[in-house]
């Protein structure tokens, strides 16, 4: 299979990713040579809960929204996969169906490896087993940190921390301000934090009064990262 055609920016997002960049050059080349490019428009479906796992993906541009439907029928956002993040390997390992829904948040480009090629990569590159083990250990650590925050920190601290993370992943510097490029409604933020939209709205108004952020209709602008850090650590 030919090396996929990505834009310069998309290729850089993949190659500079925290996980991918630490792989050996032969393994990086092997992954790229077996991958194909998939482009999705905003809201485009990628995977559905309960369906067989068919591919392993890396985000080259945009974001992938991982969600589920609650017992009441409400769609709940769990996380967003940002550029440089790879996902989908767990279901390929255990052979069980997908555990969540996944769709594009904004215009999104993915680098995908089919199941058969993924298995072939594992058989030819033992390094990939160790690399994926480290990746999943990191996911577990992040998950435990989120559980700890949920049970020990007030909503204001968790919201400030979430905004800092979004600014790091999707921030666009504009002078002294950082505009978060990912389009998120307050309901989306609330779902990420396990809170109501009303409470998140109240906290954001407080952040605005303190000069930490500016709230726009579908965007957040960070005015002071230091003030957000103080709130997150308070």
């Amino acid at each position: 299979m030919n090396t996929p055609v990505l834009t310069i920016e998309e290729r850089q997002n993949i190659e500079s990713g925290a996980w991918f960049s630490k792989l050996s050059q032969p393994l990086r080349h092997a992954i790229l040579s077996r991958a194909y490019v998939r482009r999705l428009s905003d809201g485009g479906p990628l995977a559905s809960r309960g369906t067989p796992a068919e591919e392993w993906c890396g985000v080259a541009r945009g974001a992938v929204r991982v969600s589920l439907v609650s017992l009441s029928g409400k769609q709940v956002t769990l996380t967003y996969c940002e550029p440089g993040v790879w996902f989908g390997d767990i279901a390929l390992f255990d052979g069980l169906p997908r555990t969540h829904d996944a769709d594009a948040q904004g215009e999104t480009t993915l680098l995908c490896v089919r199941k058969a090629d993924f298995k072939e990569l594992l058989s030819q590159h033992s390094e990939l087993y160790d690399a994926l083990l480290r990746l999943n250990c990191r996911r577990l650590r992040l998950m435990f940190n989120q559980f700890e925050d949920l049970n020990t920190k007030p909503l204001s601290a968790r919201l400030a921390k979430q905004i800092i993370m979004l600014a790091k992943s999707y921030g666009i510097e504009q002078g002294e301000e950082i505009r978060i490029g990912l389009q998120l409604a307050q309901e989306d933020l609330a779902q990420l934090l396990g809170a109501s939209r009303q409470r998140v709205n109240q906290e954001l108004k407080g952040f605005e009064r303190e000069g930490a952020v500016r709230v726009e209709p579908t965007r957040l602008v960070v005015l002071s990262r230091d003030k957000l850090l103080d709130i997150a650590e308070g």
Side-chain angles (χ1 to χ4, degrees):
M1 186 179 296
N2 294 328
T3 301
V5 178
L6 296 169
T7 67
I8 294 174
E9 181 183 1
E10 290 168 348
R11 180 74 177 246
Q12 184 178 12
N13 286 339
I14 289 291
E15 294 188 340
S16 64
W19 178 78
F20 190 85
S21 63
K22 293 181 175 63
L23 303 178
S24 67
Q25 192 280 331
L27 179 53
R28 295 198 305 270
H29 175 75
I31 292 172
L32 292 173
S33 68
R34 287 168 173 79
Y36 67 95
V37 174
R38 186 170 175 183
R39 301 185 189 280
L40 299 172
S41 58
D42 183 30
L46 176 63
S48 298
R49 183 173 186 169
T51 59
E54 299 295 341
E55 56 191 6
W56 175 49
C57 300
V59 183
R61 181 174 69 105
V64 172
R65 177 179 184 242
V66 179
S67 62
L68 57 81
V69 177
S70 68
L71 292 176
S72 64
K74 179 182 179 182
Q75 190 169 40
V76 179
T77 300
L78 300 176
T79 190
Y80 290 92
C81 297
E82 64 196 54
V85 169
W86 289 77
F87 64 94
D89 47 285
I90 293 176
L92 291 179
F93 270 124
D94 64 19
L96 297 176
R98 294 291 191 197
T99 55
H100 301 95
D101 299 326
D103 54 75
Q105 182 81 4
E107 298 293 323
T108 298
T109 302
L110 301 172
L111 200 56
C112 302
V113 178
R114 294 181 178 86
K115 182 177 180 178
D117 290 315
F118 177 77
K119 296 292 187 181
E120 186 175 343
L121 284 168
L122 288 172
S123 68
Q124 295 179 356
H125 298 269
S126 58
E127 175 193 352
L128 185 56
Y129 276 106
D130 291 336
L132 288 172
L133 178 60
R134 290 194 300 274
L135 177 61
N136 282 293
C137 286
R138 181 174 181 274
R139 288 170 178 160
L140 279 173
R141 288 180 183 275
L142 288 173
M143 183 178 68
F144 287 135
N145 285 339
Q146 288 175 338
F147 286 155
E148 180 179 349
D149 287 350
L150 184 61
N151 287 282
T152 62
K153 291 188 175 182
L155 177 59
S156 58
R158 291 188 284 122
L159 177 57
K161 184 176 180 180
Q162 183 68 61
I163 294 173
I164 291 170
M165 292 171 61
L166 289 170
K168 180 180 179 181
S169 301
Y170 299 100
I172 303 168
E173 293 190 10
Q174 298 178 333
E176 295 182 355
E177 300 179 351
I178 303 175
R179 178 179 295 274
I180 296 175
L182 186 65
Q183 182 173 327
L184 290 178
Q186 291 186 19
E187 178 66 26
D188 296 318
L189 277 174
Q191 290 177 10
L192 287 173
L193 296 166
S196 68
R197 187 196 63 77
Q198 290 79 7
R199 288 192 62 202
V200 167
N201 178 263
Q202 290 172 359
E203 295 295 346
L204 287 174
K205 287 180 178 177
F207 290 3
E208 281 193 297
R209 288 192 296 270
E210 294 182 34
V213 303
R214 183 172 69 250
V215 180
E216 297 181 354
T218 57
R219 292 285 192 276
L220 285 175
V221 180
V222 176
L223 303 179
S224 173
R225 187 173 183 276
D226 289 340
K227 289 183 178 179
L228 282 177
L229 284 171
D230 288 341
I231 297 170
E233 295 172 357

